[in-house]
Amino acid sequence: MGSTSRPLLCLFCLALLFYSAISELCNPEDKKVLLKIKQAFNNPYILASWNPNNDCCDWYTVTCDATSHRINSLTIFAGNLSGQIPPEVGDLPYLTTLEFHKLSNVTGQIQPAIVKLTHLNFLRLSWLNLTGPIPDFLSKLKNLTFIDFAFNQLSGSIPPSLSQLPNLNGLHLDRNKLSGPIPSSFGNFPQGLYLFLSHNQLTGSIPSSFAHMDFGYIDLSRNKLEGDASVVFGSNKTIQIVDLSRNLLKFNLSKVVFPKSLTSLDLNHNMIYGGLPLELTTLNLQYLNVSYNRLCGQIPVGGKLQSFDYSNYFHNRCLCGSPLPSCK
């Protein structure tokens, strides 16, 4: 190689290094944090793409903002990941989405450092093995629109402060070990909330404040709730799906006023009495189950009521008429 070509080669190498440096979009601080998160999980295969020699905006499970190039999403699911969610997740200040899903070896409590993620609007920590309480600090994350902590081992009472989230439209706390009452403050949520509290150990009555709340979807099934559930309904509401099955609810179904929007109603395995209101024939019901209650009288004829199987009506005190045997 000639003496004049060596300097040219060196200049080419320097230019290549300089181009590589300026072409990397990832914020260097975000990159450091992500590598710490990877190390905290013992460098799992699912994060193999997190190579320090590559632009972190190209790494699997993360995305960067198109303008600022800051990490705005961390989504890890369905992989072999073990350990606790590390506090470094709180050092990604521009995160809007944080998701750990279907990772049964992820343990510990809900990471307190999440409170620093003030831009967060989507938080899913579901199908993990998290324990401990639902923290109060979540109410400080005012941009949250969706929370999903389903399928964990969370215990203790539900913090009433969650109702202080002004933009929340989905709350999944189902399939945990939560106890105590449903907070009365939950009647102050934004209208149209999808609320899932099923498969817990909740006790007490459904809050009377629900009379002023119009849910889009509510599932309180498989708890130990007592008393009157008629506050969930109302002629001026737009709720579509209601599941109150397998509780200890006791109220007169005859006096309930159902919204025209209702498409699915599950009340099985309670102590509900009275009869089926005639107005049920006017609803576009896709699903109805009132079995294992204390209902009496004839099943109204019309609408969708005769299209459901007899098992959706059986084991009541004296309910009769199609699809059950005719009334005597």
Side-chain angles (χ1 to χ4, degrees):
M1 185 179 288
S3 59
T4 56
S5 61
R6 286 196 186 93
L8 288 173
L9 184 61
C10 292
L11 283 172
F12 175 75
C13 292
L14 286 172
L16 189 64
L17 288 170
F18 178 73
Y19 175 77
S20 298
I22 63 171
S23 65
E24 178 159 339
L25 299 175
C26 175
N27 179 275
E29 292 303 314
D30 288 351
K31 191 173 194 176
K32 288 178 186 176
V33 171
L34 290 171
L35 290 172
K36 287 181 181 178
I37 292 171
K38 180 182 179 181
Q39 186 178 20
F41 283 121
N42 295 313
N43 303 309
Y45 177 74
I46 193 174
L47 303 181
S49 70
W50 291 20
N51 185 329
N53 297 321
N54 299 333
D55 188 340
C56 73
C57 288
D58 296 328
W59 291 355
Y60 177 62
T61 76
V62 299
T63 61
C64 288
D65 180 80
T67 305
S68 68
H69 310 301
R70 301 301 299 261
I71 296 293
N72 62 8
S73 174
L74 173 57
T75 303
I76 304 175
F77 58 90
N80 187 12
L81 199 71
S82 299
Q84 300 186 14
I85 297 173
E88 284 80 9
V89 296
D91 297 329
L92 295 168
Y94 292 92
L95 273 188
T96 59
T97 296
L98 177 61
E99 178 174 6
F100 288 82
H101 177 61
K102 286 195 173 181
L103 302 161
S104 59
N105 291 323
V106 172
T107 59
Q109 299 195 3
I110 294 173
Q111 174 54 246
I114 290 173
V115 72
K116 296 191 286 184
L117 302 175
T118 56
H119 295 283
L120 204 62
N121 58 51
F122 185 99
L123 176 59
R124 170 174 278 154
L125 307 176
S126 59
W127 293 72
L128 311 177
N129 205 4
L130 299 181
T131 54
I134 295 172
D136 252 330
F137 71 70
L138 293 168
S139 63
K140 297 179 181 178
L141 301 177
K142 300 300 184 185
N143 290 311
L144 278 173
T145 62
F146 183 87
I147 296 174
D148 184 359
F149 295 152
F151 289 87
N152 280 290
Q153 306 292 325
L154 299 172
S155 58
S157 58
I158 301 172
S161 59
L162 290 178
S163 64
Q164 297 170 18
L165 294 169
N167 301 302
L168 200 67
N169 54 45
L171 179 59
H172 294 248
L173 306 180
D174 45 306
R175 294 181 185 265
N176 279 286
K177 296 180 179 179
L178 301 171
S179 58
I182 299 172
S184 61
S185 63
F186 274 27
N188 301 323
F189 271 120
Q191 301 299 308
L193 177 78
Y194 279 44
L195 179 64
F196 296 82
L197 303 179
S198 69
H199 294 78
N200 279 292
Q201 299 163 16
L202 300 175
T203 55
S205 58
I206 294 175
S208 58
S209 59
F210 278 18
H212 312 293
M213 181 68 200
D214 188 8
F215 295 96
Y217 189 136
I218 186 168
D219 186 353
L220 308 180
S221 63
R222 293 179 184 265
N223 282 290
K224 300 175 183 177
L225 300 170
E226 303 173 348
D228 189 2
S230 61
V231 290
V232 171
F233 308 99
S235 60
N236 61 336
K237 297 189 177 185
T238 59
I239 192 167
Q240 292 183 299
I241 300 174
V242 176
D243 189 347
L244 306 175
S245 61
R246 294 180 181 270
N247 278 288
L248 304 170
L249 299 169
K250 189 176 183 180
F251 60 97
N252 188 345
L253 192 63
S254 307
K255 297 183 178 180
V256 174
V257 179
F258 293 102
K260 297 294 184 185
S261 55
L262 195 65
T263 60
S264 178
L265 177 64
D266 195 345
L267 301 174
N268 80 78
H269 286 83
N270 279 287
M271 297 182 286
I272 301 167
Y273 58 94
L276 295 179
L278 182 62
E279 69 172 306
L280 286 175
T281 62
T282 67
L283 303 181
N284 185 27
L285 288 172
Q286 306 302 308
Y287 182 78
L288 174 69
N289 193 335
V290 294
S291 62
Y292 290 91
N293 277 289
R294 299 177 180 179
L295 298 170
C296 266
Q298 183 169 356
I299 297 171
V301 176
K304 299 287 187 70
L305 297 191
Q306 276 63 51
S307 68
F308 301 115
D309 191 75
Y310 81 100
S311 61
N312 293 37
Y313 295 101
F314 71 177
H315 288 279
N316 272 286
R317 180 160 288 169
C318 49
L319 203 59
C320 58
S322 178
L324 293 178
S326 58
C327 301
K328 297 177 180 179

